Amino acid sequence: MANAKMRIGILSAGGDCPGINAAIRGVGKTAIVEYEMDVLGIVNGFSGLLEKDTIELNEQILSGILTLGGTILGTSRLKPYKVVEGEDPAAKPELIKKNYREMGLDALVCIGGNGTQKTANLLSKEGLNVIGVPKTIDNDVWGTDVTFGFDTAVYIATDAIDRLHTTANSHKRVMVIEVMGHQAGWIGLYSGIAGGGDVILIPEIPYSLDTVAECLMERSRKKKPYSIVVVAEGIEKMAKKSAGAFIAKQIRKITGLETRETILGYIQRGGSPTPADRILATRFGASAARLIHEQNFGTMVALKGGVITSVPLDEVGGKIRLIQPDNPLVEKGRHMGVCFGDCCL
Ligand code: F6P
């Protein structure tokens, strides 16, 4: 294989995020320019591998996509290893292996979050030459200090919190803002600290409504005219509608303070990536192409201590990176009087 021209496939799977196109461009351009590979885009994640839905990626197609949000390849949440009643569990993986061979692929780059890296690992164990590229606004992929998409989401959420400050101050209200993050509260923690949130509730720190209420009443007694409460969507499993709406209702009920909620939603996932995300996605993409050239398969590119490296997919698959109780930003917040709902200063 050493001298033969390699043919590689790239797919994006799972929820989209800003920076995927920068990563596709990073893989594709490096593969074409540096390593003289042929590059095939697989459409709509693992669905495209099942249906052989592909587009040839050349330098023209890869130009002008660096700043674009979303993914030019499309994405889907299809999980080929998910057991579906009445279906042979081996059918989809077998078809993927067959199509991989028929499409003449020598390697496959899977851009995605935890679910995608898990699938990537299983395909790698079946003998495909797979490289993982971590992405998600949630920043919860195991094995890397950060994922692209996160910086942009934090920027958007912080901007929203900044805007809530002025209207909260005018009306002397409690403003609750719900940001994304089902299991991991990275967006809540970072945008909460960057936006000067008074209360930050994240899934990793169990909260008590009485503590939150006491913190807000104490601010009111100290003549602080308004308060900002940042809530990760995953803190309240019992909330029928949304965690933000639930928390706002409870604050109103317990404290009597005038309270409003804002659910930020998919705005956090859309639009152009920040420069930091463009750079990280480009570095990840270029490194993925290099790993293929070096035939270092079954690995995921990662950032550790500011340095690009790779980790075995086997270590990553099925895990999630949560905020630890001794996280320095949580500690800094506590020392400045931020309430995380578990104790009140
Ligand atoms: O991309 C991660 C994430 O944004 C989660 O925080 C969020 O709950 C989820 O995706 C929702 O995405 P979808 O509705 O596309 O499944």
Side-chain angles (χ1 to χ4, degrees):
M1 190 151 78
N3 294 323
K5 195 170 192 190
M6 287 185 91
R7 182 169 171 80
I8 69 166
I10 308 174
L11 63 79
S12 52
D16 73 344
C17 78
I20 298 179
N21 288 324
I24 293 169
R25 175 178 173 272
V27 179
K29 284 203 169 189
T30 310
I32 295 167
V33 175
E34 176 74 9
Y35 301 120
E36 297 180 355
M37 297 171 182
D38 286 331
V39 184
L40 197 64
I42 317 280
V43 174
N44 293 337
F46 295 104
S47 302
L49 273 182
L50 290 170
E51 293 158 16
K52 284 191 175 172
D53 192 358
T54 60
I55 46 169
E56 289 287 338
L57 296 179
N58 54 36
E59 284 191 78
Q60 281 71 35
I61 291 175
L62 293 169
S63 286
I65 65 168
L66 174 64
T67 61
L68 287 185
T71 161
I72 59 160
L73 296 177
T75 184
S76 74
R77 290 202 183 272
L78 181 120
K79 295 184 173 77
Y81 287 91
K82 192 174 168 190
V83 179
V84 181
E85 213 184 306
E87 258 183 34
D88 174 6
K92 286 193 181 108
E94 284 305 321
L95 184 56
I96 286 178
K97 280 195 281 180
K98 181 170 163 277
N99 289 346
Y100 174 93
R101 270 182 246 110
E102 284 178 7
M103 290 189 289
L105 293 179
D106 297 302
L108 176 68
V109 177
C110 297
I111 304 173
N114 284 307
T116 304
Q117 302 312 327
K118 190 174 171 184
T119 303
N121 183 39
L122 294 172
L123 288 174
S124 165
K125 284 182 168 168
E126 300 238 22
L128 304 196
N129 295 332
V130 182
I131 301 292
V133 174
K135 68 103 183 83
T136 167
I137 63 163
D138 291 338
N139 198 32
D140 59 358
V141 178
W142 183 271
T144 181
D145 291 347
V146 68
T147 56
F148 63 81
F150 175 61
D151 186 69
T152 309
V154 170
Y155 178 83
I156 294 166
T158 304
D159 179 61
I161 296 169
D162 290 350
R163 287 167 193 279
L164 289 175
H165 268 273
T166 60
T167 175
N169 197 8
S170 305
H171 290 266
K172 318 298 174 219
R173 284 172 172 161
V174 175
M175 286 293 190
V176 176
I177 176 164
E178 180 190 299
V179 298
M180 280 187 167
H182 270 297
Q183 289 170 274
W186 293 102
I187 299 175
L189 175 61
Y190 274 67
S191 66
I193 295 291
D198 306 300
V199 177
I200 300 173
L201 304 181
I202 55 175
E204 293 91 335
I205 303 179
Y207 74 97
S208 128
L209 279 169
D210 288 339
T211 304
V212 173
E214 176 50 28
C215 168
L216 296 172
M217 291 305 288
E218 179 63 9
R219 285 180 55 80
S220 182
R221 285 193 290 272
K222 284 182 180 165
K223 303 277 179 262
K224 306 254 174 103
Y226 68 92
S227 295
I228 301 288
V229 179
V230 181
V231 166
E233 65 183 333
I235 58 152
E236 195 42 67
K237 307 279 178 280
M238 302 305 284
K240 281 205 181 90
K241 274 198 214 150
S242 80
F246 172 81
I247 294 293
K249 192 174 169 192
Q250 299 306 316
I251 290 172
R252 263 193 300 273
K253 207 162 101 183
I254 303 172
T255 66
L257 294 168
E258 198 179 348
T259 307
R260 296 285 189 272
E261 74 262 12
T262 300
I263 318 296
L264 202 51
Y266 292 90
I267 286 168
Q268 291 159 95
R269 250 167 56 177
S272 188
T274 58
D277 273 341
R278 293 178 200 182
I279 288 167
L280 182 61
T282 301
R283 292 175 80 191
F284 275 176
S287 303
R290 184 178 39 79
L291 288 176
I292 294 173
H293 173 72
E294 292 166 355
Q295 303 197 22
N296 191 352
F297 300 121
T299 53
M300 182 188 81
V301 296
L303 190 78
K304 283 191 177 172
V307 177
I308 298 283
T309 179
S310 65
V311 288
L313 274 170
D314 214 17
E315 254 179 44
V316 177
K319 292 193 196 136
I320 181 161
R321 196 176 71 95
L322 299 175
I323 296 169
Q324 297 304 307
D326 62 347
N327 180 286
L329 208 49
V330 172
E331 284 185 356
K332 295 279 179 305
R334 287 192 196 283
H335 292 153
M336 293 170 66
V338 175
C339 170
F340 286 90
D342 55 342
C343 57
C344 217
L345 295 173

